[in-house]
Amino acid sequence: MCVPGCHDVVMRRLSRRGFFKGIGAAAAAAATVPLATAPARAVPISFERVVDLTHPLPPDFPTFFGEPQLEIEKMATFDPDGYNMNRWHLVEHTGTHMDAPIHFSADGADASSIEIEKLVVPLAIIDVKAKAAENADYQVTPDDIAAWESAHGRLPDGCCVAMNSGWGPLVGSAKFRNADSEGKLHFPGFHAEAADMMIRDRNVVGMAVDTLSLDYGGSPDFKTHYTWLPSGRWGMECVANLDALPAVGATLVVGSPKIVGATGGPSRLIALV
Amino acid sequence: MCVPGCHDVVMRRLSRRGFFKGIGAAAAAAATVPLATAPARAVPISFERVVDLTHPLPPDFPTFFGEPQLEIEKMATFDPDGYNMNRWHLVEHTGTHMDAPIHFSADGADASSIEIEKLVVPLAIIDVKAKAAENADYQVTPDDIAAWESAHGRLPDGCCVAMNSGWGPLVGSAKFRNADSEGKLHFPGFHAEAADMMIRDRNVVGMAVDTLSLDYGGSPDFKTHYTWLPSGRWGMECVANLDALPAVGATLVVGSPKIVGATGGPSRLIALV
């Protein structure tokens, strides 16, 4: 039932242990910056329509490592059994999915222990489609955040900040992973400096991307992951349909799994507008 | 990686094939009753707080068949790998979870193809705690729905109707399954006549229970499942925290999985109040 080759690939790609441990230690400083305990929200929150920000997840959904991460085992079939039921063999970080703090930290929150108030939050969307079309390795910077705030006001208290890079609609094509001849990936992500700004100078609880990783595809060190997740914040990868939403004003509901010990997992993301 | 014994138990319990196929055929009539295509909703919808209706899901969460249905395989550990990641081996119908129409029909919608508008809906809660305390085999009847409507008005258009039987807080005890000496389960559920009423005479899109099954535990034929699911409606089992909500006025957000072909699956249920 092991997804063929996946574990080996993971181990090969992420086994630079000394380096990773160094980065993890460096991230400890960021981890000491606390979240505001109770974001002040304008209430009541109102909405008129809903938008699904979740990609359908078939077994061949593209993955960071390139190997399938979902296998569906049929356990019962309506004819002759009278009902249908499956067992999933599923790597947590597949499809539109959460990265919980524990994914890149020694003792961060797992997916089941994130407070529910941090899963229903204002959504701010930073559109970098033009820049990403010019440069697939683009990283969202503090300047992009400043430009967004000039147009839309300060990032809402307790919000999720999403990058709309134009990658969402590419999910069915090779351009989604955009691997070069050496297997190196090329897609946009958040720069670690933007993550640091959102931790230290704003009250942001979640970071979302329409690509396969919070970091840009060519990242040698997952620095954005190591800056963001150990600080107690969550990430969301492979988000869909961001073009259907305004830059500010939507509320994001994060239907993440409540499996005890989960480092993340496929999630249903729903925007209320 | 097979959950020990589970498949055999499922097959033993549900292999009365001729009988089940008969029930399935009988349910075809109900399947012809269409859902309203566009429930009329009062907009905007407003809320001031959120309530998590999801139980934490550890590997030993109680199951209908009594065998564990979740195994968590560790793929990477922060020390020495620099990150944490797991693979789940998970039977879909585990924890707080959805039953999609395809679970008990030949060709109903799978979890990934239910319209998003049917996953953000008004929530009506019918409290039968007193009756269930007297009779663990209690079934919610059309009279219970009529009594609820006398107190709270007609069931909201396009709503989910939830049974609050008092079983939610029992999840950590043997009383949750409440198996007798012969292994027969005793917990409340919806009567098939109530399901039929909600299909034919109201516009209800979802049915939720705080127990392990839409049917009462001792059901010999899963008649409520066979009435409800083939009609194109969804079910939700093992719902938590219903006592924290009013009988009417909350909005339910169903964070169900979007795995293609899924017959249901662990879901994050969030109420907006």
Side-chain angles (χ1 to χ4, degrees):
Chain A
M1 288 310 162
C2 184
V3 176
C6 179
H7 189 251
D8 290 347
V9 173
V10 172
M11 291 300 125
R12 200 157 58 239
R13 290 287 296 268
L14 290 182
S15 63
R16 295 160 294 178
R17 293 176 179 174
F19 176 80
F20 267 56
K21 287 166 79 172
I23 291 282
T32 63
V33 179
L35 288 169
T37 51
R41 298 265 175 80
V43 292
I45 297 164
S46 296
F47 64 97
E48 298 186 355
R49 63 187 176 93
V50 296
V51 177
D52 193 354
L53 304 184
T54 321
H55 286 296
L57 176 49
D60 63 352
F61 192 91
T63 65
F64 186 82
F65 296 109
E67 300 291 332
Q69 295 186 169
L70 167 64
E71 181 185 350
I72 299 177
E73 175 195 359
K74 196 83 185 165
M75 295 181 71
T77 303
F78 192 73
D79 184 5
D81 302 311
Y83 70 113
N84 293 298
M85 189 165 74
N86 304 305
R87 184 189 280 121
W88 307 335
H89 305 275
L90 172 66
V91 179
E92 291 166 331
H93 298 269
T94 309
T96 301
H97 72 276
M98 168 176 275
D99 282 6
I102 190 67
H103 182 39
F104 270 71
S105 62
D107 55 4
D110 69 14
S112 75
S113 55
I114 297 172
E115 302 94 312
I116 192 68
E117 289 78 12
K118 292 180 184 158
L119 299 179
V120 181
V121 298
L123 178 60
I125 302 176
I126 300 181
D127 187 329
V128 295
K129 292 201 293 282
K131 291 172 176 173
E134 292 286 318
N135 173 17
D137 300 316
Y138 189 75
Q139 299 183 67
V140 177
T141 65
D143 284 349
D144 289 318
I145 296 173
W148 187 95
E149 290 189 332
S150 293
H152 305 291
R154 194 175 169 89
L155 285 174
D157 202 34
C159 74
C160 169
V161 176
M163 171 188 76
N164 182 358
S165 71
W167 246 248
L170 302 176
V171 73
S173 77
K175 184 79 188 294
F176 193 67
R177 296 182 74 247
N178 205 20
D180 63 22
S181 59
E182 295 175 351
K184 188 172 176 181
L185 306 185
H186 297 279
F187 54 73
F190 275 95
H191 197 288
E193 290 176 5
D196 194 59
M197 174 187 179
M198 293 192 288
I199 293 171
R200 296 180 184 276
D201 302 329
R202 300 293 183 276
N203 182 29
V204 176
V205 304
M207 174 192 289
V209 294
D210 55 357
T211 58
L212 278 162
S213 176
L214 304 179
D215 285 272
Y216 75 112
S219 169
D221 53 13
F222 295 89
K223 190 169 180 182
T224 298
H225 277 80
Y226 279 113
T227 300
W228 189 250
L229 299 177
S231 80
R233 291 159 176 84
W234 53 259
M236 197 63 61
E237 295 167 338
C238 300
V239 176
N241 295 332
L242 289 172
D243 277 334
L245 296 177
V248 65
T251 297
L252 179 66
V253 181
V254 180
S256 49
K258 205 166 175 175
I259 289 180
V260 176
T263 72
S267 302
R268 177 73 71 140
L269 290 193
I270 297 176
L272 312 174
V273 192
Chain B
M1 287 307 163
C2 182
V3 176
C6 178
H7 188 252
D8 291 347
V9 174
V10 172
M11 291 302 126
R12 199 159 60 241
R13 290 287 294 269
L14 290 182
S15 65
R16 294 160 293 177
R17 294 176 179 175
F19 176 79
F20 267 56
K21 287 166 79 172
I23 291 281
T32 64
V33 180
L35 289 168
T37 50
R41 297 266 175 79
V43 292
I45 298 165
S46 295
F47 65 97
E48 299 187 357
R49 63 187 176 94
V50 296
V51 176
D52 193 353
L53 304 184
T54 320
H55 287 295
L57 175 49
D60 63 352
F61 192 91
T63 66
F64 186 83
F65 296 109
E67 301 291 331
Q69 295 185 171
L70 167 64
E71 183 186 349
I72 298 178
E73 175 195 0
K74 196 84 184 166
M75 295 181 71
T77 303
F78 191 74
D79 184 5
D81 301 311
Y83 71 112
N84 293 297
M85 188 165 75
N86 305 305
R87 184 188 279 121
W88 307 335
H89 305 276
L90 172 65
V91 178
E92 291 167 331
H93 299 270
T94 309
T96 301
H97 72 276
M98 168 177 275
D99 283 5
I102 190 66
H103 183 37
F104 270 72
S105 62
D107 55 3
D110 70 13
S112 75
S113 54
I114 297 172
E115 302 95 313
I116 192 67
E117 289 77 12
K118 292 179 184 160
L119 299 179
V120 182
V121 298
L123 178 61
I125 302 176
I126 299 180
D127 187 329
V128 295
K129 291 202 294 281
K131 291 171 176 173
E134 291 287 317
N135 173 18
D137 300 316
Y138 188 74
Q139 299 183 68
V140 176
T141 65
D143 284 348
D144 289 316
I145 296 173
W148 188 95
E149 291 189 331
S150 293
H152 305 290
R154 192 174 171 89
L155 286 174
D157 202 35
C159 74
C160 169
V161 177
M163 172 188 77
N164 182 358
S165 71
W167 246 248
L170 302 177
V171 72
S173 78
K175 185 78 190 293
F176 193 67
R177 296 183 74 246
N178 204 19
D180 64 23
S181 59
E182 296 176 351
K184 188 173 176 179
L185 307 183
H186 297 277
F187 55 74
F190 276 95
H191 196 288
E193 289 176 5
D196 195 58
M197 174 188 179
M198 294 192 288
I199 293 171
R200 295 179 185 278
D201 303 329
R202 301 292 184 277
N203 182 28
V204 176
V205 305
M207 174 192 289
V209 295
D210 55 357
T211 58
L212 278 162
S213 176
L214 304 180
D215 286 271
Y216 74 112
S219 169
D221 54 12
F222 295 90
K223 190 169 180 181
T224 298
H225 277 80
Y226 279 114
T227 300
W228 189 251
L229 298 178
S231 79
R233 290 159 177 85
W234 53 259
M236 196 63 61
E237 295 167 339
C238 300
V239 176
N241 295 332
L242 289 171
D243 277 334
L245 296 176
V248 66
T251 297
L252 179 66
V253 182
V254 180
S256 49
K258 205 166 175 175
I259 290 180
V260 176
T263 72
S267 302
R268 177 72 71 138
L269 290 193
I270 298 176
L272 312 175
V273 192

